[in-house]
Amino acid sequence: MVAPTGLPTVDAASRAVAQLLEALGGGGGWHALSLAELPRLAAVSCAVDARLLALDDGLLGALASCERTVTFLRARMAQDSEFTSAIEMAVGMSEMHCPDELWLSAQRCVDEQPLSHLAVVRSFCHAHIYRAESFYTDLSALLDAMGGWAWERADAVRSSLLEVDSVHEPLVELLDGGADDAAPTRLLQLGRPGRNTAWVCASAPSDGAGALAPGNNGGDGDEGGAA
């Protein structure tokens, strides 16, 4: 996430945290410290940005591993109006235009759960998704974008992001149906193993349950069948 030129700031922060942990845990641990050592601890702690304490490793790791989802949102749905319109159109899709992975056969409608997860991710990580540069110039720039997040929600947002990324291809197909490259994308999706069609051939049951009943031979349904 941080540009190579900004990695020294990350290394410096790592060393500062290590020094603070050593100061707090060395010589018998926290309980062995006295007020006389407070000035020394204060000097060491000043080198650590307090915003680092709130960061959640799980969510940061998920953002890095799910970069394709972040890239899609940044490239295709930069404006709130674009995102809202795409969601509304996706919800109204018919079975013919909806990827199988996102169609609820029993309810005969689009599965709105991944769309809801995507909205959560976009809202929470908005500052990161739509940052000006691909990489943060240094650690301070990263903390400026993420430091104000409500990190107590990190686990829920991480779960939503992983859920969205697990259906990335069909979700992109659903939301991006009006794009210029939508048709080629659909053709590429047909090559996925999950889209393979299997034909099952079986003979009629021995009890005749599969046979047409009298009067139900595809005609008008009159009793007695064809004359």
Side-chain angles (χ1 to χ4, degrees):
M1 293 183 181
V2 177
T5 55
L7 291 181
T9 63
V10 178
D11 295 335
S14 178
R15 290 192 299 270
V17 170
Q19 292 172 1
L20 179 59
L21 291 176
E22 175 63 25
L24 292 174
W30 170 260
H31 296 290
L33 297 175
S34 64
L35 290 177
E37 296 178 90
L38 185 58
R40 179 176 64 87
L41 293 175
V44 174
S45 63
C46 284
V48 179
D49 193 316
R51 294 174 295 180
L52 282 172
L53 303 177
L55 299 185
D56 181 86
D57 292 345
L59 179 54
L60 292 177
L63 285 171
S65 63
C66 302
E67 180 61 27
R68 60 180 183 174
T69 295
V70 174
T71 300
F72 168 70
L73 286 171
R74 184 187 303 122
R76 297 296 178 90
M77 298 183 180
Q79 302 298 322
D80 292 345
S81 57
E82 294 174 340
F83 181 75
T84 301
S85 177
I87 294 294
E88 291 176 349
M89 291 183 63
V91 170
M93 287 287 186
S94 65
E95 182 176 6
M96 179 181 298
H97 297 95
C98 178
D100 294 340
E101 297 89 339
L102 300 178
W103 183 257
L104 299 177
S105 299
Q107 291 84 359
R108 307 295 299 170
C109 66
V110 174
D111 185 359
E112 297 184 23
Q113 196 66 29
L115 300 176
S116 177
H117 286 310
L118 186 65
V120 168
V121 171
R122 185 179 184 273
S123 175
F124 188 88
C125 304
H126 194 279
H128 171 70
I129 294 171
Y130 300 107
R131 60 193 185 275
E133 303 293 338
S134 298
F135 294 95
Y136 294 106
T137 55
D138 53 25
L139 181 60
S140 179
L142 183 148
L143 293 174
D144 287 342
M146 300 183 179
W149 289 0
W151 284 97
E152 63 273 10
R153 296 177 52 205
D155 286 343
V157 176
R158 173 180 173 273
S159 297
S160 292
L161 178 56
L162 294 176
E163 180 68 26
V164 166
D165 199 68
S166 69
V167 290
H168 176 78
E169 290 87 358
L171 191 60
V172 169
E173 181 182 343
L174 178 67
L175 292 171
D176 218 21
D180 294 339
D181 57 353
T185 299
R186 290 196 183 99
L187 290 176
L188 290 173
Q189 292 300 318
L190 293 177
R192 296 177 60 211
R195 296 293 182 87
N196 291 345
T197 299
W199 292 90
V200 178
C201 300
S203 59
S206 57
D207 58 4
L212 291 176
N216 190 25
N217 59 354
D220 57 8
D222 294 337
E223 293 292 330

